[in-house]
Amino acid sequence: MTDKRVLTIQDISCLGQCSLTVALPIISACGVETIILPSAVLSTHTGGFSGYTFRDLTDDIPDIMNHWMKEKQSFDCIYTGYLGSIRQIDYVGDLIENVLNEGAVKIIDPAMADNGSLYYGFNEEFVKCMAGLCGKADVVLPNITEAAFMTGISYRAEGHDEEYIKSLLDGIKKLGAKKVILKGISYESGRIGVAVYDCVADDLQYYFTEKIEKNSHGTGDCYAAAFTGAVMQGRSEYEAAKIAADFVVESIKKTIDDENHWYGVKFEKVLPMLVEEVNQ
Ligand code: PXL
């Protein structure tokens, strides 16, 4: 069996424990070769810092892709996270067409919103294009806010019920996605979970963990990276969703007592547990 290779395209936020600076170490720790395509370089992420630098690398994306094509390099999975513009979303479509092996897994994390609001710099048009990209995915990993934006269903912070969750899942299915991992579901206080929905088989499962009352940045990126690593190592989507959830909860716990560490989570401390779980 040849080893699997994942291509991930996201920004580099030099400081901030998100996007590529978490995807590369996490997927690599899972034992999976990780090819990166940096879409931009920022001094920090945009969620709470001000005055950050921003170097747009959009124009490099087609050149990088063309070089890989010339070198006959192709990949078993594409995993996309934070994308900075509609043009970048279009280029992801080109990468899907041109540098994936037959049967490659397309994992799209529509990282663009949380807690009921879009991240700085995004608008309705971007949401529409991201919804289009999600329609091409094998697995989409939205949180409740992103699912609400992409389906046009109103956002509910908590007090979810199954009817609400199923309407979001059905909306994402209608975009064309094959599987949905919907994050941030709250059916009872003190518990939070993910829905793992197979759109084709119409099969819905849940996994719940304790809810830690802390708004943490970058946890969606840690979740998607751990999920991708686990799936590439042959775990089912449900197992991968569970492994990723436990990884994120432990990462938040390792961070919660350090009030200076507000910008991300100390996922590095939990990599040994992740590696063990993925390889069990
Ligand atoms: O964690 C998502 C993310 C990634 N990259 C950048 C961000 C954010 C969220 O705010 O600002 C640059």
Side-chain angles (χ1 to χ4, degrees), residues 3-6 24 26-35 228-230 232-233 278:
D3 288 325
K4 298 272 195 285
R5 301 204 299 171
V6 173
L24 179 57
I26 291 172
I27 302 171
S28 299
C30 292
V32 178
E33 182 180 341
T34 309
I35 290 88
T228 300
M232 283 297 103
Q233 288 292 41
V278 165

Side-chain angles (χ1 to χ4, degrees), residues 11-18 41-54 262-263:
D11 68 280
I12 295 177
S13 290
C14 300
L15 187 161
Q17 286 170 311
C18 69
V41 179
L42 295 83
S43 50
T44 64
H45 62 61
T46 67
F49 294 101
S50 57
Y52 47 83
T53 69
F54 180 88
W262 58 269
Y263 52 81

